[in-house]
Amino acid sequence: MSAKVMNGTEMAKEIRAEAAEGVAEMRDKHGIVPGLAVVLVGDDPASKVYVRNKDRAATEAGMVSESIVLPDSTTQDEVLSVVRRLNGDARIHAILVQLPLPDHIDEDAVIESINPDKDVDGLHPFNMGLLMAGLPRFIPATPEGIQQMLLRSGFDPEGKHVVVCGRSNIVGKPVANLLMQRSAGSNATVTVCHTRTKNLADITRQADILIAAIGQPRFITADMVKDGVVVIDVGINQIEAPERKRGYRLVGDVDYDAVSEKAAAITPVPGGVGPMTIAMLLLNTLKAARYFMHPHLRKLGG
Ligand code: GUN
């Protein structure tokens, strides 16, 4: 079998166009332009690229976009005061602090300082709790992007065995919670594996849908999946590639070529989950602006 390639770039383009339409309508009908602020601390090259892409995407969708780039030497109090300023800025409906933060900054304290109504990353404990309770308000962008990729590719998770490899707050935990919800587009049976899981391959081989969010290049090999599996590869790893001008190339957490031979469908890296994350961030920003205009919608999850 040769896998169907789930093209995240194409799907993200459609979603970004939907976001742009929503922005135009809000601006024309209500005179409100959704605003996104992204805060980057330090000079991690990958994070810089992500932040630049988010800024560009928000601007292209017609949003107000503010990127705040702070040096590595920034103190925790300084970061907290930037977040406080953004919490009180009426032009900004959505705040994202790019992770990871430098070691001297307490990530939890920063996330908890974000006004939950502007927490489009869905990482504030309040929003994580709502997701867990089955009342999601802001679903983290990568998990929601994964769900959209599955649905838009015709792979409804309902009744399927989804195996998630990875238990991070950004991907593993929320995607497991999301796909096990009692709601359309979810209703999966979910198993979460992690670094201490015994007999990992025995479990991954049971997956109808396998989500790899491990952070190790080509960790999932062909012998770890069953024929016909649907594979979502969240990993973005740099590996040395002397033949390339920049000296490296990007690979996922899945051994793409070999696993493609067995899978029914697979996401590429790059061009899979990554672009979807940005597209869902734009939809969450639009949602935050809608909630700002109509607070009663928040309760309805509208
Ligand atoms: N770093 C990598 N992915 C993400 C994300 O989705 N949100 C934030 N805030 N930081 C990230």
Side-chain angles (χ1 to χ4, degrees):
M1 190 184 299
S2 194
K4 166 183 170 151
V5 179
M6 291 180 273
N7 186 329
T9 307
E10 280 302 311
M11 273 183 244
K13 213 164 138 186
E14 287 170 24
I15 294 168
R16 284 168 65 163
E18 290 162 25
E21 271 176 37
V23 172
E25 192 185 321
M26 189 176 285
R27 189 193 54 219
D28 296 345
K29 278 199 185 151
H30 305 284
I32 288 180
V33 178
L36 169 68
V38 179
V39 181
L40 171 66
V41 187
D43 42 27
D44 176 66
S47 290
K48 274 186 180 165
V49 174
Y50 299 147
V51 167
R52 196 180 326 128
N53 289 344
K54 286 168 184 170
D55 179 50
R56 200 175 289 161
T59 305
E60 273 175 27
M63 296 177 174
V64 168
S65 178
E66 181 176 347
S67 290
I68 296 136
V69 180
L70 303 168
D72 195 61
S73 57
T74 307
T75 65
Q76 179 163 321
D77 280 349
E78 285 166 337
V79 178
L80 291 174
S81 98
V82 167
V83 172
R84 268 196 297 274
R85 200 259 296 160
L86 294 169
N87 282 341
D89 185 338
R91 293 174 322 127
I92 298 298
H93 305 94
I95 302 169
L96 180 147
V97 178
Q98 185 68 24
L99 303 176
L101 288 167
D103 288 344
H104 65 277
I105 296 176
D106 178 352
E107 226 160 70
D108 293 329
V110 173
I111 290 169
E112 284 174 33
S113 74
I114 299 170
N115 176 350
D117 290 338
K118 297 190 177 189
D119 168 40
V120 277
D121 246 346
L123 295 179
H124 189 287
F126 182 79
N127 285 315
M128 288 217 274
L130 285 178
L131 174 60
M132 185 142 184
L135 303 163
R137 198 170 287 176
F138 294 114
I139 300 168
T142 302
E144 199 170 18
I146 291 169
Q147 185 185 38
Q148 281 302 314
M149 286 189 99
L150 290 169
L151 295 175
R152 288 176 188 238
S153 306
F155 300 107
D156 191 328
E158 176 153 338
K160 298 289 191 299
H161 186 190
V162 174
V163 175
V164 179
C165 293
R167 55 177 160 180
S168 68
N169 285 351
I170 292 188
V171 183
K173 282 185 211 161
V175 81
N177 260 296
L178 176 64
L179 297 182
M180 72 162 85
Q181 305 273 321
R182 186 198 295 269
S183 63
S186 293
N187 287 315
T189 303
V190 180
T191 303
V192 180
C193 301
H194 49 75
T195 40
R196 301 293 171 91
T197 298
K198 293 205 172 95
N199 305 322
L200 178 68
D202 289 344
I203 300 169
T204 56
R205 272 194 290 269
Q206 293 172 36
D208 302 312
I209 297 171
L210 180 67
I211 300 174
I214 305 152
Q216 291 193 42
R218 298 184 181 130
F219 182 88
I220 303 290
T221 48
D223 60 311
M224 295 171 75
V225 301
K226 71 176 178 187
D227 282 326
V229 65
V230 173
V231 179
I232 303 284
D233 190 349
V234 185
I236 303 179
N237 309 289
Q238 286 188 9
I239 59 163
E240 278 184 34
E243 75 281 5
R244 297 267 174 116
K245 212 160 85 185
R246 57 186 179 181
Y248 69 89
R249 69 189 195 90
L250 297 177
V251 297
D253 290 349
V254 176
D255 184 0
Y256 183 88
D257 291 342
V259 171
S260 293
E261 293 295 316
K262 289 176 87 175
I266 190 165
T267 61
V269 177
V273 175
M276 288 297 282
T277 296
I278 294 183
M280 301 321 295
L281 171 67
L282 298 184
L283 286 189
N284 273 352
T285 300
L286 186 57
K287 199 189 230 185
R290 277 209 183 107
Y291 288 163
F292 170 78
M293 281 192 315
H294 308 292
H296 65 285
L297 289 177
R298 296 184 310 189
K299 273 224 167 62
L300 309 173

